[in-house]
Amino acid sequence: MTASVTESWARIETWLARHAPRAFATLEPPAEAAAVAAAEEAVGQPFPESLRQSLLRHNGSGHQALVPPFWMLLDVRNIVDSRQRRMRIYGDEPADREDGDPESEYGPWWHAEWIPFAADGAGDYLVVDQRRHGRRGRIGDADHETGCSFAPSPVWASLPALLDATATALETGEPMEGYRRVAVDETELEWEDA
């Protein structure tokens, strides 16, 4: 059973505070509910409840790669900016256009119903797939060159599953999707190949 967003954040915070206090200190304070509502209006659709809960706990992870191997959680402003940037690049494609099977492992380069919530700093994003299909809410890796891929692993089934897996990997030291946590000088968090 997947832990709730709140439970996973509490576990992540506890581990970081004890083992990587500098990483803990980079976590942003909660987003204002009005800022989340304004962001939803700016992107033209509501955020998934799990993303809203996460933002109301921490408005991003600062420059800390919290999710392995290198994903930084975006704050509300960067969610809007990142989505708008991708939509400008996406251009005049119809918003409802589908390439192939929307439930497959590979998606188009971008889709209007994806909400970016994490970035790698090199132009790639993790997105929540909000398209109306059987696997709605799953997490995709929107690569700026090759398009989006959706891993079949349960870790990527939803934002709550991703945060739960991250908390478990921090607590146990077991690999998550091939990466193991490392507390550098007992102050910072990094992820390395397992």
Side-chain angles (χ1 to χ4, degrees):
M1 180 180 209
T2 299
S4 72
V5 167
T6 301
E7 292 167 335
S8 294
W9 265 119
R11 293 166 54 208
I12 290 167
E13 292 162 354
T14 298
W15 190 90
L16 289 175
R18 286 187 189 142
H19 303 283
R22 191 174 297 156
F24 177 73
T26 68
L27 294 175
E28 297 293 335
E32 297 286 332
V36 175
E40 291 173 321
E41 186 174 323
V43 301
Q45 62 181 310
F47 290 170
E49 183 58 30
S50 58
L51 179 56
R52 190 177 299 113
Q53 289 172 5
S54 183
L55 291 165
L56 292 173
R57 182 73 178 226
H58 288 286
N59 189 20
S61 62
H63 294 290
Q64 175 62 52
L66 184 65
V67 175
F70 39 64
W71 297 107
M72 301 169 284
L73 299 180
L74 298 172
D75 61 22
V76 171
R77 181 183 52 80
N78 281 308
I79 288 172
V80 172
D81 291 349
S82 299
R83 184 175 179 283
Q84 288 174 341
R85 184 177 313 107
R86 278 288 179 107
M87 290 301 292
R88 280 192 304 273
I89 295 168
Y90 189 60
D92 295 330
E93 295 287 329
D96 60 350
R97 179 175 172 260
E98 279 303 337
D99 288 343
D101 178 2
E103 295 192 42
S104 72
E105 252 182 86
Y106 300 98
W109 185 82
W110 189 255
H111 196 283
E113 293 186 67
W114 292 345
I115 307 287
F117 70 91
D120 66 357
D124 301 335
Y125 298 100
L126 291 182
V127 299
V128 179
D129 187 355
Q130 289 294 91
R131 294 176 291 174
R132 285 143 185 83
H133 57 76
R135 296 174 67 194
R136 186 174 194 206
R138 67 186 171 160
I139 305 302
D141 177 351
D143 185 281
H144 70 283
E145 292 180 1
T146 60
C148 196
S149 62
F150 297 94
S153 167
V155 168
W156 303 101
S158 66
L159 182 55
L162 183 62
L163 291 174
D164 182 36
T166 300
T168 299
L170 289 172
E171 292 169 336
T172 66
E174 293 297 313
M176 178 180 153
E177 300 295 299
Y179 295 92
R180 186 182 313 275
R181 56 114 167 114
V182 178
V184 178
D185 297 329
E186 298 182 357
T187 60
E188 297 180 36
L189 170 67
E190 289 185 10
W191 299 91
E192 65 181 22
D193 289 330

mmCIF file of all heavy atoms in Angstrom, residues 143-181:
data_model
loop_
_atom_site.group_PDB
_atom_site.id
_atom_site.type_symbol
_atom_site.label_atom_id
_atom_site.label_comp_id
_atom_site.label_asym_id
_atom_site.label_seq_id
_atom_site.Cartn_x
_atom_site.Cartn_y
_atom_site.Cartn_z
ATOM 1 N N ASP A 143 11.667 13.942 -21.941
ATOM 2 C CA ASP A 143 13.008 14.278 -22.411
ATOM 3 C C ASP A 143 12.907 15.339 -23.498
ATOM 4 O O ASP A 143 12.056 15.246 -24.392
ATOM 5 C CB ASP A 143 13.683 13.020 -22.950
ATOM 6 C CG ASP A 143 15.115 13.241 -23.344
ATOM 7 O OD1 ASP A 143 15.346 13.782 -24.448
ATOM 8 O OD2 ASP A 143 16.002 12.869 -22.559
ATOM 9 N N HIS A 144 13.778 16.334 -23.462
ATOM 10 C CA HIS A 144 13.683 17.442 -24.424
ATOM 11 C C HIS A 144 14.101 17.037 -25.834
ATOM 12 O O HIS A 144 13.824 17.764 -26.781
ATOM 13 C CB HIS A 144 14.501 18.642 -23.948
ATOM 14 C CG HIS A 144 15.985 18.457 -24.001
ATOM 15 N ND1 HIS A 144 16.675 17.722 -23.073
ATOM 16 C CD2 HIS A 144 16.898 18.900 -24.885
ATOM 17 C CE1 HIS A 144 17.955 17.728 -23.378
ATOM 18 N NE2 HIS A 144 18.117 18.436 -24.473
ATOM 19 N N GLU A 145 14.742 15.890 -25.993
ATOM 20 C CA GLU A 145 15.144 15.439 -27.320
ATOM 21 C C GLU A 145 14.280 14.305 -27.848
ATOM 22 O O GLU A 145 13.868 14.328 -28.999
ATOM 23 C CB GLU A 145 16.613 14.990 -27.299
ATOM 24 C CG GLU A 145 17.579 16.131 -27.072
ATOM 25 C CD GLU A 145 19.023 15.674 -27.062
ATOM 26 O OE1 GLU A 145 19.289 14.470 -27.255
ATOM 27 O OE2 GLU A 145 19.895 16.530 -26.858
ATOM 28 N N THR A 146 13.992 13.320 -27.003
ATOM 29 C CA THR A 146 13.354 12.093 -27.498
ATOM 30 C C THR A 146 11.866 11.988 -27.230
ATOM 31 O O THR A 146 11.223 11.071 -27.714
ATOM 32 C CB THR A 146 14.052 10.860 -26.893
ATOM 33 O OG1 THR A 146 13.933 10.912 -25.463
ATOM 34 C CG2 THR A 146 15.516 10.816 -27.288
ATOM 35 N N GLY A 147 11.313 12.888 -26.458
ATOM 36 C CA GLY A 147 9.898 12.793 -26.129
ATOM 37 C C GLY A 147 9.702 12.164 -24.761
ATOM 38 O O GLY A 147 10.640 12.027 -23.982
ATOM 39 N N CYS A 148 8.492 11.778 -24.459
ATOM 40 C CA CYS A 148 8.144 11.304 -23.120
ATOM 41 C C CYS A 148 8.095 9.784 -23.075
ATOM 42 O O CYS A 148 7.613 9.135 -23.999
ATOM 43 C CB CYS A 148 6.789 11.877 -22.712
ATOM 44 S SG CYS A 148 6.481 11.755 -20.944
ATOM 45 N N SER A 149 8.583 9.242 -21.962
ATOM 46 C CA SER A 149 8.470 7.809 -21.729
ATOM 47 C C SER A 149 7.837 7.583 -20.363
ATOM 48 O O SER A 149 8.006 8.378 -19.443
ATOM 49 C CB SER A 149 9.846 7.130 -21.809
ATOM 50 O OG SER A 149 10.703 7.639 -20.811
ATOM 51 N N PHE A 150 7.101 6.500 -20.268
ATOM 52 C CA PHE A 150 6.401 6.130 -19.045
ATOM 53 C C PHE A 150 6.873 4.739 -18.643
ATOM 54 O O PHE A 150 6.535 3.759 -19.293
ATOM 55 C CB PHE A 150 4.888 6.123 -19.270
ATOM 56 C CG PHE A 150 4.337 7.465 -19.632
ATOM 57 C CD1 PHE A 150 4.179 7.835 -20.965
ATOM 58 C CD2 PHE A 150 3.978 8.369 -18.653
ATOM 59 C CE1 PHE A 150 3.672 9.074 -21.312
ATOM 60 C CE2 PHE A 150 3.473 9.622 -18.988
ATOM 61 C CZ PHE A 150 3.322 9.973 -20.315
ATOM 62 N N ALA A 151 7.673 4.666 -17.581
ATOM 63 C CA ALA A 151 8.204 3.387 -17.132
ATOM 64 C C ALA A 151 7.084 2.544 -16.531
ATOM 65 O O ALA A 151 6.214 3.064 -15.834
ATOM 66 C CB ALA A 151 9.314 3.607 -16.108
ATOM 67 N N PRO A 152 7.106 1.234 -16.788
ATOM 68 C CA PRO A 152 6.057 0.363 -16.247
ATOM 69 C C PRO A 152 6.214 0.071 -14.754
ATOM 70 O O PRO A 152 5.328 -0.494 -14.148
ATOM 71 C CB PRO A 152 6.202 -0.910 -17.082
ATOM 72 C CG PRO A 152 7.617 -0.916 -17.550
ATOM 73 C CD PRO A 152 8.011 0.526 -17.702
ATOM 74 N N SER A 153 7.322 0.490 -14.136
ATOM 75 C CA SER A 153 7.563 0.224 -12.722
ATOM 76 C C SER A 153 6.499 0.866 -11.846
ATOM 77 O O SER A 153 6.058 1.988 -12.113
ATOM 78 C CB SER A 153 8.946 0.770 -12.342
ATOM 79 O OG SER A 153 9.097 0.801 -10.943
ATOM 80 N N PRO A 154 6.093 0.184 -10.763
ATOM 81 C CA PRO A 154 5.097 0.763 -9.840
ATOM 82 C C PRO A 154 5.535 2.088 -9.227
ATOM 83 O O PRO A 154 4.705 2.896 -8.827
ATOM 84 C CB PRO A 154 4.945 -0.303 -8.753
ATOM 85 C CG PRO A 154 5.471 -1.557 -9.328
ATOM 86 C CD PRO A 154 6.465 -1.175 -10.377
ATOM 87 N N VAL A 155 6.856 2.330 -9.149
ATOM 88 C CA VAL A 155 7.379 3.583 -8.602
ATOM 89 C C VAL A 155 6.834 4.775 -9.379
ATOM 90 O O VAL A 155 6.596 5.839 -8.815
ATOM 91 C CB VAL A 155 8.928 3.574 -8.655
ATOM 92 C CG1 VAL A 155 9.510 4.948 -8.387
ATOM 93 C CG2 VAL A 155 9.480 2.551 -7.678
ATOM 94 N N TRP A 156 6.619 4.614 -10.673
ATOM 95 C CA TRP A 156 6.210 5.705 -11.543
ATOM 96 C C TRP A 156 4.696 5.728 -11.791
ATOM 97 O O TRP A 156 4.222 6.455 -12.653
ATOM 98 C CB TRP A 156 6.956 5.616 -12.877
ATOM 99 C CG TRP A 156 8.439 5.627 -12.662
ATOM 100 C CD1 TRP A 156 9.274 4.545 -12.687
ATOM 101 C CD2 TRP A 156 9.254 6.749 -12.332
ATOM 102 N NE1 TRP A 156 10.563 4.938 -12.403
ATOM 103 C CE2 TRP A 156 10.581 6.283 -12.184
ATOM 104 C CE3 TRP A 156 8.999 8.110 -12.153
ATOM 105 C CZ2 TRP A 156 11.636 7.123 -11.858
ATOM 106 C CZ3 TRP A 156 10.051 8.946 -11.839
ATOM 107 C CH2 TRP A 156 11.353 8.458 -11.697
ATOM 108 N N ALA A 157 3.938 4.969 -11.002
ATOM 109 C CA ALA A 157 2.490 4.901 -11.204
ATOM 110 C C ALA A 157 1.777 6.184 -10.812
ATOM 111 O O ALA A 157 0.715 6.501 -11.358
ATOM 112 C CB ALA A 157 1.910 3.722 -10.427
ATOM 113 N N SER A 158 2.352 6.942 -9.868
ATOM 114 C CA SER A 158 1.705 8.164 -9.384
ATOM 115 C C SER A 158 2.708 8.957 -8.555
ATOM 116 O O SER A 158 3.746 8.428 -8.121
ATOM 117 C CB SER A 158 0.492 7.825 -8.518
ATOM 118 O OG SER A 158 0.905 7.173 -7.321
ATOM 119 N N LEU A 159 2.384 10.203 -8.282
ATOM 120 C CA LEU A 159 3.232 11.020 -7.415
ATOM 121 C C LEU A 159 3.292 10.444 -5.997
ATOM 122 O O LEU A 159 4.380 10.379 -5.420
ATOM 123 C CB LEU A 159 2.763 12.480 -7.418
ATOM 124 C CG LEU A 159 3.605 13.449 -6.589
ATOM 125 C CD1 LEU A 159 5.083 13.423 -6.992
ATOM 126 C CD2 LEU A 159 3.039 14.859 -6.707
ATOM 127 N N PRO A 160 2.168 9.987 -5.412
ATOM 128 C CA PRO A 160 2.291 9.361 -4.088
ATOM 129 C C PRO A 160 3.223 8.149 -4.105
ATOM 130 O O PRO A 160 4.019 7.969 -3.169
ATOM 131 C CB PRO A 160 0.850 8.960 -3.746
ATOM 132 C CG PRO A 160 0.009 9.931 -4.498
ATOM 133 C CD PRO A 160 0.760 10.161 -5.787
ATOM 134 N N ALA A 161 3.169 7.328 -5.149
ATOM 135 C CA ALA A 161 4.057 6.164 -5.234
ATOM 136 C C ALA A 161 5.515 6.596 -5.349
ATOM 137 O O ALA A 161 6.405 6.000 -4.727
ATOM 138 C CB ALA A 161 3.668 5.285 -6.424
ATOM 139 N N LEU A 162 5.779 7.646 -6.114
ATOM 140 C CA LEU A 162 7.144 8.142 -6.288
ATOM 141 C C LEU A 162 7.703 8.698 -4.979
ATOM 142 O O LEU A 162 8.848 8.407 -4.609
ATOM 143 C CB LEU A 162 7.173 9.210 -7.382
ATOM 144 C CG LEU A 162 8.535 9.785 -7.740
ATOM 145 C CD1 LEU A 162 9.460 8.705 -8.293
ATOM 146 C CD2 LEU A 162 8.381 10.909 -8.755
ATOM 147 N N LEU A 163 6.918 9.484 -4.260
ATOM 148 C CA LEU A 163 7.374 10.030 -2.978
ATOM 149 C C LEU A 163 7.550 8.927 -1.934
ATOM 150 O O LEU A 163 8.504 8.948 -1.147
ATOM 151 C CB LEU A 163 6.419 11.110 -2.483
ATOM 152 C CG LEU A 163 6.416 12.408 -3.284
ATOM 153 C CD1 LEU A 163 5.311 13.344 -2.790
ATOM 154 C CD2 LEU A 163 7.767 13.089 -3.246
ATOM 155 N N ASP A 164 6.660 7.939 -1.934
ATOM 156 C CA ASP A 164 6.773 6.807 -1.014
ATOM 157 C C ASP A 164 8.048 6.021 -1.301
ATOM 158 O O ASP A 164 8.803 5.674 -0.381
ATOM 159 C CB ASP A 164 5.538 5.909 -1.144
ATOM 160 C CG ASP A 164 5.542 4.729 -0.190
ATOM 161 O OD1 ASP A 164 6.018 4.863 0.957
ATOM 162 O OD2 ASP A 164 5.066 3.649 -0.591
ATOM 163 N N ALA A 165 8.337 5.746 -2.566
ATOM 164 C CA ALA A 165 9.549 5.007 -2.941
ATOM 165 C C ALA A 165 10.803 5.806 -2.586
ATOM 166 O O ALA A 165 11.809 5.231 -2.140
ATOM 167 C CB ALA A 165 9.525 4.679 -4.428
ATOM 168 N N THR A 166 10.761 7.120 -2.766
ATOM 169 C CA THR A 166 11.892 7.966 -2.408
ATOM 170 C C THR A 166 12.132 7.908 -0.895
ATOM 171 O O THR A 166 13.272 7.738 -0.446
ATOM 172 C CB THR A 166 11.659 9.419 -2.865
ATOM 173 O OG1 THR A 166 11.497 9.434 -4.288
ATOM 174 C CG2 THR A 166 12.808 10.326 -2.471
ATOM 175 N N ALA A 167 11.070 8.018 -0.105
ATOM 176 C CA ALA A 167 11.196 7.943 1.355
ATOM 177 C C ALA A 167 11.763 6.591 1.776
ATOM 178 O O ALA A 167 12.657 6.523 2.630
ATOM 179 C CB ALA A 167 9.836 8.189 2.015
ATOM 180 N N THR A 168 11.285 5.524 1.167
ATOM 181 C CA THR A 168 11.774 4.182 1.505
ATOM 182 C C THR A 168 13.245 4.027 1.147
ATOM 183 O O THR A 168 14.027 3.478 1.927
ATOM 184 C CB THR A 168 10.916 3.111 0.805
ATOM 185 O OG1 THR A 168 9.561 3.245 1.260
ATOM 186 C CG2 THR A 168 11.424 1.710 1.088
ATOM 187 N N ALA A 169 13.646 4.517 -0.020
ATOM 188 C CA ALA A 169 15.050 4.433 -0.430
ATOM 189 C C ALA A 169 15.945 5.222 0.525
ATOM 190 O O ALA A 169 17.053 4.785 0.852
ATOM 191 C CB ALA A 169 15.220 4.943 -1.860
ATOM 192 N N LEU A 170 15.480 6.371 0.983
ATOM 193 C CA LEU A 170 16.254 7.148 1.947
ATOM 194 C C LEU A 170 16.396 6.391 3.262
ATOM 195 O O LEU A 170 17.496 6.272 3.816
ATOM 196 C CB LEU A 170 15.602 8.510 2.201
ATOM 197 C CG LEU A 170 15.670 9.521 1.058
ATOM 198 C CD1 LEU A 170 14.811 10.741 1.381
ATOM 199 C CD2 LEU A 170 17.106 9.938 0.776
ATOM 200 N N GLU A 171 15.281 5.862 3.758
ATOM 201 C CA GLU A 171 15.281 5.199 5.062
ATOM 202 C C GLU A 171 16.090 3.902 5.072
ATOM 203 O O GLU A 171 16.802 3.616 6.026
ATOM 204 C CB GLU A 171 13.846 4.889 5.494
ATOM 205 C CG GLU A 171 13.021 6.109 5.801
ATOM 206 C CD GLU A 171 11.547 5.801 5.961
ATOM 207 O OE1 GLU A 171 11.050 4.785 5.428
ATOM 208 O OE2 GLU A 171 10.882 6.602 6.639
ATOM 209 N N THR A 172 15.958 3.108 4.033
ATOM 210 C CA THR A 172 16.558 1.768 4.031
ATOM 211 C C THR A 172 17.941 1.717 3.394
ATOM 212 O O THR A 172 18.697 0.781 3.645
ATOM 213 C CB THR A 172 15.666 0.777 3.267
ATOM 214 O OG1 THR A 172 15.619 1.145 1.881
ATOM 215 C CG2 THR A 172 14.259 0.718 3.863
ATOM 216 N N GLY A 173 18.251 2.688 2.531
ATOM 217 C CA GLY A 173 19.510 2.624 1.790
ATOM 218 C C GLY A 173 19.460 1.672 0.616
ATOM 219 O O GLY A 173 20.448 1.497 -0.095
ATOM 220 N N GLU A 174 18.313 1.044 0.397
ATOM 221 C CA GLU A 174 18.143 0.139 -0.746
ATOM 222 C C GLU A 174 18.023 0.964 -2.024
ATOM 223 O O GLU A 174 17.521 2.090 -2.001
ATOM 224 C CB GLU A 174 16.890 -0.723 -0.568
ATOM 225 C CG GLU A 174 17.003 -1.715 0.573
ATOM 226 C CD GLU A 174 18.110 -2.729 0.352
ATOM 227 O OE1 GLU A 174 18.190 -3.286 -0.764
ATOM 228 O OE2 GLU A 174 18.903 -2.964 1.287
ATOM 229 N N PRO A 175 18.445 0.410 -3.157
ATOM 230 C CA PRO A 175 18.363 1.162 -4.413
ATOM 231 C C PRO A 175 16.918 1.440 -4.824
ATOM 232 O O PRO A 175 16.012 0.660 -4.548
ATOM 233 C CB PRO A 175 19.031 0.245 -5.438
ATOM 234 C CG PRO A 175 19.775 -0.765 -4.658
ATOM 235 C CD PRO A 175 19.097 -0.881 -3.335
ATOM 236 N N MET A 176 16.755 2.570 -5.493
ATOM 237 C CA MET A 176 15.479 2.915 -6.113
ATOM 238 C C MET A 176 15.753 3.117 -7.595
ATOM 239 O O MET A 176 16.508 4.025 -7.965
ATOM 240 C CB MET A 176 14.904 4.194 -5.508
ATOM 241 C CG MET A 176 13.606 4.636 -6.154
ATOM 242 S SD MET A 176 13.012 6.156 -5.378
ATOM 243 C CE MET A 176 12.070 6.848 -6.724
ATOM 244 N N GLU A 177 15.193 2.254 -8.422
ATOM 245 C CA GLU A 177 15.364 2.345 -9.868
ATOM 246 C C GLU A 177 16.845 2.428 -10.252
ATOM 247 O O GLU A 177 17.220 3.165 -11.161
ATOM 248 C CB GLU A 177 14.590 3.539 -10.426
ATOM 249 C CG GLU A 177 13.099 3.481 -10.169
ATOM 250 C CD GLU A 177 12.414 2.313 -10.883
ATOM 251 O OE1 GLU A 177 12.458 2.256 -12.119
ATOM 252 O OE2 GLU A 177 11.837 1.452 -10.184
ATOM 253 N N GLY A 178 17.680 1.667 -9.526
ATOM 254 C CA GLY A 178 19.098 1.589 -9.865
ATOM 255 C C GLY A 178 19.989 2.627 -9.219
ATOM 256 O O GLY A 178 21.179 2.697 -9.522
ATOM 257 N N TYR A 179 19.451 3.432 -8.298
ATOM 258 C CA TYR A 179 20.235 4.469 -7.639
ATOM 259 C C TYR A 179 20.113 4.342 -6.125
ATOM 260 O O TYR A 179 19.041 4.062 -5.601
ATOM 261 C CB TYR A 179 19.789 5.871 -8.079
ATOM 262 C CG TYR A 179 20.056 6.105 -9.532
ATOM 263 C CD1 TYR A 179 19.097 5.825 -10.489
ATOM 264 C CD2 TYR A 179 21.298 6.585 -9.942
ATOM 265 C CE1 TYR A 179 19.356 6.013 -11.839
ATOM 266 C CE2 TYR A 179 21.565 6.779 -11.292
ATOM 267 C CZ TYR A 179 20.593 6.487 -12.231
ATOM 268 O OH TYR A 179 20.870 6.675 -13.560
ATOM 269 N N ARG A 180 21.229 4.569 -5.454
ATOM 270 C CA ARG A 180 21.290 4.478 -3.994
ATOM 271 C C ARG A 180 21.647 5.851 -3.431
ATOM 272 O O ARG A 180 22.481 6.556 -3.970
ATOM 273 C CB ARG A 180 22.358 3.466 -3.604
ATOM 274 C CG ARG A 180 22.431 3.175 -2.127
ATOM 275 C CD ARG A 180 23.545 2.182 -1.795
ATOM 276 N NE ARG A 180 23.601 1.017 -2.636
ATOM 277 C CZ ARG A 180 22.890 -0.117 -2.480
ATOM 278 N NH1 ARG A 180 22.048 -0.212 -1.475
ATOM 279 N NH2 ARG A 180 23.032 -1.126 -3.304
ATOM 280 N N ARG A 181 21.027 6.193 -2.324
ATOM 281 C CA ARG A 181 21.280 7.485 -1.694
ATOM 282 C C ARG A 181 22.645 7.500 -1.025
ATOM 283 O O ARG A 181 23.134 6.494 -0.533
ATOM 284 C CB ARG A 181 20.198 7.841 -0.705
ATOM 285 C CG ARG A 181 20.004 6.773 0.381
ATOM 286 C CD ARG A 181 20.378 7.254 1.738
ATOM 287 N NE ARG A 181 19.898 6.333 2.748
ATOM 288 C CZ ARG A 181 20.723 5.626 3.514
ATOM 289 N NH1 ARG A 181 22.011 5.688 3.376
ATOM 290 N NH2 ARG A 181 20.226 4.830 4.441
#
